Amino acid sequence: MAEPAGGDAAGGDAAGGPGHGDRSAAAIAAAWQRERPGTPTGSIEIVTPIWRLAKLFADDRNRVLRAAGIDAATLDLLAVLRRSGPPYALTTRELTRRTLVTAGAISQRVARAERAGLVRRSPDPAGARAVLVSLTPEGHALVERSVDAVLGREAELVTGLSPAERDHLAALLDRLLTDLHGRIGPAD
C-alpha cells in the first residue's frame, strides 16, 4: 500500500516518520484497518519505511553527486569499470550485464562519458566486433573522488545504528531482496 517518492497509501507525504501523527507507518496501517477492516496491512510497516528511506537516501546521494560534479548514471558506469580491476576496461556487453541497464542506455552513457574524456572506446583485442571501454586517467580520478564522497556520506548516515544492528539489517534486507528477486524477478 506504499508508493514511492513522496507519497504513501494514506495520501500523506513521505517526510513524516514515527511520532509524526497519522503519517507513521503504524498509523497508516491502523487507519486502513479502521476504514476497511480486513484489508491486508501487514506489509505497510515494512514497505512504507523502505520507500521513505529510499527517497531520503536517493535525494541525499543526488546532492552529494551534484557537489562532486557527476550524475548517478556516469558514476554507475565509472564505478563498474573501476571495480573491474586493472586495466579498468570492459566490453559494452559486460557493462550492460553488470549495470542491469539496456544496451542502448550503456551506449548513451559511454558516449556521454567519452565526450567528457572519462572513458575511451576501442576495438576489443579478442575480436568478435566487440567494443572495449576503459577508464581514462580523468575518469579514474573522478570516480575515486566521487566514490569517497558518496560512500563516506552514506556511512555517516547509518551511524544511528550500532555495527551489530547494521549487520543484522543488512542480512535481513539481503534475504528479502533475494526472496523477491526469486519470486518477481529483477528490478527494471
Side-chain angles (χ1 to χ4, degrees), residues 92-175:
T92 53
R93 181 179 307 246
E94 186 62 20
L95 284 167
T96 299
R97 189 183 72 74
R98 291 187 188 194
T99 58
L100 305 176
V101 298
T102 66
I106 282 297
S107 180
Q108 290 175 351
R109 288 179 183 186
V110 169
R112 199 168 49 246
E114 186 176 40
R115 283 192 302 273
L118 304 173
V119 300
R120 98 172 99 322
R121 286 187 270 197
S122 59
D124 184 0
R129 297 184 355 198
V131 174
L132 196 62
V133 179
S134 55
L135 278 178
T136 63
E138 295 81 7
H140 192 276
L142 180 58
V143 73
E144 294 294 302
R145 286 191 314 272
S146 301
V147 166
D148 286 347
V150 168
L151 295 182
R153 174 62 176 163
E154 291 174 356
E156 178 185 314
L157 292 176
V158 298
T159 59
L161 299 174
S162 72
E165 289 170 327
R166 290 193 299 265
D167 289 346
H168 185 66
L169 180 58
L172 288 173
L173 291 171
D174 185 58
R175 188 167 134 203

Side-chain angles (χ1 to χ4, degrees), residues 4-115:
D8 58 43
D13 66 39
H20 288 81
D22 68 352
R23 293 183 286 176
S24 76
I28 292 168
W32 278 117
Q33 282 301 310
R34 182 188 70 240
E35 295 299 318
R36 294 191 69 228
T39 298
T41 59
S43 65
I44 290 175
E45 290 185 71
I46 296 168
V47 176
T48 297
I50 289 173
W51 277 120
R52 289 175 176 176
L53 284 167
K55 171 112 174 72
L56 288 169
F57 280 125
D59 289 350
D60 193 77
R61 178 179 272 206
N62 285 333
R63 282 189 293 273
V64 171
L65 291 174
R66 274 193 307 278
I70 190 170
D71 62 87
T74 302
L75 178 59
D76 187 35
L77 172 68
L78 300 182
V80 167
L81 289 167
R82 176 63 178 89
R83 289 192 314 263
S84 72
Y88 311 115
L90 295 168
T91 64
T92 53
R93 181 179 307 246
E94 186 62 20
L95 284 167
T96 299
R97 189 183 72 74
R98 291 187 188 194
T99 58
L100 305 176
V101 298
T102 66
I106 282 297
S107 180
Q108 290 175 351
R109 288 179 183 186
V110 169
R112 199 168 49 246
E114 186 176 40
R115 283 192 302 273

